């Protein structure tokens, strides 16, 4: 096997493993917490809605890279569970605006704290120069995948 083949195999393994580990850590954290009625996808939907203002369904769907129809199903469940409010502004009844309830805001804050702790724990093992290189490399990888996604 050539060096390039080994390098590609290792990089593929690292990316797949990182993705899976992050998802599993989030799932375990959610399962061990007080919130038992939310999936990780629902938590990420709450995160995309954000804590500061109302958003349109289209804005949230775009940030999650899903269709408005798929988001509608998720929002229906989150409204029923009491995490999200939905309303239609009087000036444009065609538009649907969504925002987090107090219960949803608690989840948003808890999930943000989880991510902050995860990053803090990960970076404590790195020297400052390594952090800079990591951020630069991951930013380039993100741009690559963003371009691939936009080409679909």
């Amino acid at each position: 096997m050539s060096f390039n083949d080994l390098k590609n195999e290792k990089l593929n393994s690292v990316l797949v493993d990182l993705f899976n580990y992050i998802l599993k850590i989030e799932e375990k954290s959610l399962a061990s917490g007080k919130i038992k009625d939310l999936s990780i996808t629902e938590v990420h939907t709450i995160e995309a809605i954000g804590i500061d203002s109302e958003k349109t369904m289209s804005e949230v769907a775009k940030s999650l890279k899903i269709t408005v129809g798929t988001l509608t199903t998720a929002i229906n469940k989150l409204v029923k569970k009491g995490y999200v409010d939905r309303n239609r502004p009087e000036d444009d009844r065609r538009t649907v605006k969504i925002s987090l309830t107090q219960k949803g805001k608690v989840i948003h804050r808890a999930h943000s704290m989880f991510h902050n702790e995860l990053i803090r724990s990960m970076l404590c093992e790195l020297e400052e120069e390594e952090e800079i290189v990591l951020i630069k490399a991951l930013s380039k990888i993100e741009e690559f995948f963003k371009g691939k996604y936009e080409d679909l």
Side-chain angles (χ1 to χ4, degrees):
M1 190 178 270
S2 73
F3 174 73
N4 277 342
D5 290 340
L6 289 171
K7 178 179 65 175
N8 291 347
E9 188 176 297
K10 179 62 178 172
L11 185 55
N12 180 66
S13 174
V14 167
L15 288 174
V16 169
D17 286 351
L18 281 173
F19 179 77
N20 288 328
Y21 283 133
I22 291 168
L23 281 179
K24 292 297 180 193
I25 290 167
E26 283 187 312
E27 287 170 358
K28 278 189 170 192
S29 174
L30 195 61
S32 68
K34 296 176 184 174
I35 294 82
K36 303 287 187 200
D37 67 334
L38 291 172
S39 69
I40 197 65
T41 301
E42 289 173 321
V43 172
H44 288 157
T45 302
I46 287 170
E47 184 179 41
I49 294 168
I51 210 163
D52 297 326
S53 63
E54 287 186 322
K55 289 190 179 160
T56 66
M57 293 284 284
S58 297
E59 289 171 326
V60 175
K62 184 178 180 182
S63 74
L64 290 170
K65 296 166 184 51
I66 60 174
T67 66
V68 173
T70 299
L71 179 62
T72 299
T73 302
I75 294 302
N76 288 342
K77 290 177 184 175
L78 289 170
V79 167
K80 192 174 185 177
K81 292 178 182 182
Y83 292 101
V84 173
D85 281 329
R86 176 187 324 179
N87 70 66
R88 292 181 187 271
E90 288 298 322
D91 60 335
D92 184 0
R93 302 294 292 165
R94 297 168 299 163
T95 304
V96 176
K97 297 268 190 161
I98 52 178
S99 60
L100 298 181
T101 62
Q102 272 312 115
K103 190 175 172 181
K105 289 177 181 180
V106 168
I107 298 303
H108 188 283
R109 286 186 192 101
H111 192 65
S112 291
M113 287 173 38
F114 165 79
H115 276 274
N116 290 339
E117 178 59 25
L118 190 64
I119 297 298
R120 188 195 64 71
S121 296
M122 180 186 74
L123 292 179
C124 78
E125 297 294 321
L126 301 178
E127 300 292 329
E128 187 174 346
E129 303 81 38
E130 292 173 314
E131 290 177 15
I132 293 166
V133 170
L134 176 66
I135 291 166
K136 187 175 180 178
L138 289 175
S139 295
K140 287 181 178 182
I141 292 168
E142 177 190 30
E143 282 301 311
F144 168 79
F145 283 113
K146 181 181 178 185
K148 286 291 186 190
Y149 173 78
E150 290 171 352
D151 288 345
L152 296 176

